[in-house]
Amino acid sequence: MMKERARRSNNTQLFLYMAWLVSVVATLGSLYFSEIRGFIPCELCWYQRILMYPLALILGIGTFQNDASVKRFILPMAIIGWCISLFHYLEQKVPGFAALKPCVNGVPCSAEYINWLGFITIPFLALSAFSLIIVFMLLIKKTKKD
């Protein structure tokens, strides 16, 4: 019984740490693209940032305190960010999809600053980060049920 609790605690700590690492890399990546490469974020990029940046802080606190209860805050934010990232990616990659929400001013949301391998764009990177964070949070929940 004691070994089982220790294993769960270790798994929880690992999943928290991995989610935190993903959020830090995503945060630093977005800052790199805007501050170093000079890419101006569009409106949907700002919404994704608004949801990603606090994840790095909250997950950092949760990781270093080994507090799995942060998933109550992380999961809803990550799911909303995932939805925004998916919508943004579809605006870029699906013809005619961008017409659903035209940009009022500034950088158009359908603009692609990067296009690696024909499908990797900045919203795709954000979508991947939010996906990984969601998976790690769900794995924490699953280990508690064992």
Side-chain angles (χ1 to χ4, degrees), residues 40-138:
I40 299 168
C42 70
E43 183 179 349
L44 290 175
C45 287
W46 278 113
Y47 295 146
Q48 291 165 76
R49 286 175 174 214
I50 288 167
L51 290 161
M52 182 61 74
Y53 289 9
L55 294 183
L57 179 65
I58 297 168
L59 281 166
I61 293 168
T63 298
F64 291 105
Q65 292 184 349
N66 198 17
D67 182 7
S69 69
V70 297
K71 72 180 175 215
R72 292 179 301 171
F73 309 107
I74 298 300
L75 205 50
M77 291 172 67
I79 290 170
I80 293 168
W82 186 89
C83 291
I84 293 170
S85 296
L86 179 64
F87 180 79
H88 194 183
Y89 186 67
L90 290 173
E91 268 196 10
Q92 289 183 332
K93 294 297 182 183
V94 177
F97 201 87
L100 293 178
K101 188 203 171 294
C103 287
V104 179
N105 56 21
V107 177
C109 294
S110 59
E112 294 181 22
Y113 284 119
I114 64 168
N115 189 358
W116 301 330
L117 303 174
F119 71 96
I120 300 173
T121 63
I122 294 173
F124 180 83
L125 295 172
L127 181 66
S128 300
F130 283 121
S131 297
L132 285 170
I133 292 168
I134 290 167
V135 167
F136 288 131
M137 291 300 103
L138 293 175

